[in-house]
Amino acid sequence: MTAHDPLLGRQRGGLLGWLGFGASPPADLAPDDQPEVSGPRRDRRQIARERHLSEILAFLDVHQLEVTAHTLTAAHNYVTGADPQMVRQIDRQVQSRKPVTSDWLDEIAGPASDDDDVTVLTRLMDRLETSIEEFARTSTDAHKATSEYQSALEEHVGELEQVNIAGEVISELATIAKVMLKRTRDIEKQMLRSEAQTRVLRRRLDEARRNAEEDMLTGLPNRRAFEARFEEEYRSARASAEALCVAFCDIDNFKRVNDSHGHDAGDRVLKLVAEALAKISDDRCHVARHGGEEFVLLFRDMPLEQAYQRLDLLRAQLAERRLINRATDEPFGQISFSGGIADVFAFSDRRAALKAADAALYHAKQGGKNRIEIAQRIELNDAA
């Protein structure tokens, strides 16, 4: 590990040291006296992954940071030296005895595009999850071997104590065995603590992954989650020869709502439309917020006309409602959305289908709003 943060040196002993991930074993225990832990031989890459996992955990623990997408990225970049500028800034912060907090990490983070952030985050989470699983398996195997070794030692100590033949050799052997037994018990306790920390890290990683894939305002899956789901559904539907449709929806005159009633009211309208769309979500229909006032839907194993009718019925039901801003008692007027829908397999690939649905949404807006357009129909009309 990069020895930038002096505080991290305190975390390198214990179980990680015994397993060869951190500091060396205690000086008073010679190599020949260490309990031999059986298990599969690990290659250098696996050891490196386990070391990075333990160092990332130590960084978060030392600075009392919550496990989030941002802190995981910062810890990874610091431990691996992937961002030298960040390493230098954190070192200066630590040397000046100032805290390393999430807010401070936000301040020093350089600007990056959303796509880059998503790519880096996805790769980091995947690597960290793999390391956690490998570390958990190794720790479990080592714990089992240590437990078996401890049972054998206890049996040998008992046998030595029952020997009636007096002699310094027997007495010395019994003393050494007792010391080994005590140290083995200490190792087992450290392993139990490490396994508990691994479970906590896995749980927090799951929470961070959910947060990274959920739109905080509406509770719907976000664009990142939709992209992953779209790719999965596309492959599965193509393999099973099932229908797949994709639709874009956009709230009509949303800027007018924000300008007339304020952004808080606009957020409530977004939640309302999100809840309405979520009602048609099931095993065959997936809804996500794509960004701003735009939503995207996938219809699996549903013909285009049926998917169109289902979405158009929801549009009509929402447009019939007359909503009032409870904060001011002023009416919102009609709240509606426009949409474009496309049969995914009518196009060369899923990206082309997504663009076709977006173009259909544009035609719906140009055609008067509060309507759903089908991509194939637009192409036929344009050709005519």
Side-chain angles (χ1 to χ4, degrees):
M1 176 177 183
T2 52
H4 308 297
D5 189 339
L7 296 177
L8 296 185
R10 303 174 188 171
Q11 308 294 323
R12 298 290 299 280
L15 169 65
L16 301 178
W18 284 98
L19 293 179
F21 302 153
S24 56
D28 61 339
L29 185 60
D32 292 340
D33 293 335
Q34 297 179 49
E36 183 176 339
V37 180
S38 61
R41 208 172 198 33
R42 294 173 296 137
D43 58 27
R44 293 182 179 179
R45 287 177 298 178
Q46 181 178 347
I47 293 174
R49 286 194 295 268
E50 291 168 349
R51 185 176 67 253
H52 287 160
L53 169 62
S54 65
E55 291 169 348
I56 288 172
L57 177 60
F59 182 92
L60 298 176
D61 185 45
V62 164
H63 298 294
Q64 298 296 301
L65 295 169
E66 292 295 326
V67 179
T68 65
H70 181 57
T71 57
L72 280 172
T73 302
H76 172 268
N77 289 342
Y78 181 84
V79 165
T80 62
D83 188 341
Q85 182 178 359
M86 174 178 285
V87 170
R88 289 192 295 271
Q89 289 176 302
I90 292 177
D91 285 345
R92 285 196 295 268
Q93 187 80 350
V94 171
Q95 290 166 4
S96 61
R97 298 186 179 278
K98 295 179 181 178
V100 176
T101 64
S102 296
D103 291 340
W104 181 78
L105 289 173
D106 285 336
E107 292 177 4
I108 68 171
S113 67
D114 292 340
D115 290 340
D116 289 341
D117 286 342
V118 168
T119 301
V120 171
L121 175 60
T122 301
R123 290 176 180 173
L124 173 60
M125 284 190 167
D126 290 343
R127 287 201 302 268
L128 185 55
E129 191 169 36
T130 300
S131 297
I132 289 174
E133 294 300 328
E134 291 177 350
F135 180 81
R137 285 196 297 269
T138 302
S139 180
T140 300
D141 291 342
H143 184 194
K144 181 180 178 182
T146 304
S147 180
E148 293 173 353
Y149 179 78
Q150 178 181 331
S151 299
L153 267 181
E154 289 175 344
E155 183 179 349
H156 294 327
V157 169
E159 292 174 352
L160 287 171
E161 289 179 336
Q162 292 174 9
V163 174
N164 295 322
I165 302 175
E168 294 182 1
V169 175
I170 296 298
S171 177
E172 185 177 354
L173 284 174
T175 301
I176 293 174
K178 288 179 180 179
V179 172
M180 291 291 295
L181 181 58
K182 179 180 181 302
R183 289 176 178 170
T184 305
R185 287 171 177 165
D186 291 340
I187 294 172
E188 187 174 21
K189 290 178 182 178
Q190 291 172 339
M191 286 182 174
L192 290 173
R193 286 195 295 269
S194 178
E195 290 172 1
Q197 288 177 332
T198 302
R199 288 193 295 272
V200 170
L201 183 56
R202 183 188 290 113
R203 185 170 63 252
R204 290 183 177 176
L205 178 62
D206 290 339
E207 292 173 358
R209 188 184 294 277
R210 285 195 299 272
N211 290 337
E213 295 180 348
E214 181 179 296
D215 177 63
M216 301 304 293
L217 177 64
T218 64
L220 292 176
N222 60 16
R223 181 175 180 175
R224 175 180 182 271
F226 165 76
E227 291 291 342
R229 188 61 182 257
F230 192 14
E231 181 177 359
E232 177 185 344
E233 293 289 348
Y234 180 77
R235 292 177 179 176
S236 179
R238 184 172 58 180
S240 56
E242 293 178 344
L244 182 65
C245 300
V246 62
F248 266 122
C249 297
D250 187 277
I251 301 175
D252 296 325
N253 305 312
F254 186 69
K255 185 178 183 300
R256 185 183 64 191
V257 174
N258 279 332
D259 291 343
S260 301
H261 299 274
H263 290 281
D264 288 342
D267 287 347
R268 291 195 294 273
V269 170
L270 277 170
K271 291 180 181 179
L272 173 72
V273 176
E275 290 171 0
L277 291 170
K279 288 180 180 178
I280 66 172
S281 178
D282 54 27
D283 293 340
R284 297 196 302 164
C285 177
H286 307 289
V287 182
R289 185 183 178 191
H290 201 259
E293 64 269 27
E294 194 170 65
F295 300 86
V296 63
L297 299 90
L298 286 176
F299 296 92
R300 171 73 183 274
D301 193 21
M302 192 180 301
L304 180 62
E305 286 294 337
Q306 183 180 347
Y308 167 82
Q309 292 172 5
R310 189 171 183 179
L311 183 60
D312 193 53
L313 176 61
L314 176 65
R315 175 204 58 76
Q317 291 173 343
L318 179 64
E320 289 176 357
R321 300 174 62 177
R322 293 298 178 265
L323 305 174
I324 296 177
N325 184 355
R326 293 182 178 179
T328 61
D329 289 331
E330 295 180 4
F332 280 116
Q334 185 185 54
I335 298 296
S336 64
F337 65 83
S338 302
I341 189 168
D343 179 353
V344 174
F345 296 118
F347 299 87
S348 57
D349 54 43
R350 63 188 184 91
R351 293 295 177 190
L354 199 62
K355 290 180 180 179
D358 192 28
L361 168 61
Y362 174 79
H363 277 264
K365 290 286 190 180
Q366 295 297 311
K369 303 179 182 178
N370 191 21
R371 58 195 297 172
I372 308 296
E373 291 284 357
I374 296 178
Q376 290 176 324
R377 289 179 180 171
I378 292 172
E379 291 177 353
L380 290 175
N381 292 337
D382 288 346

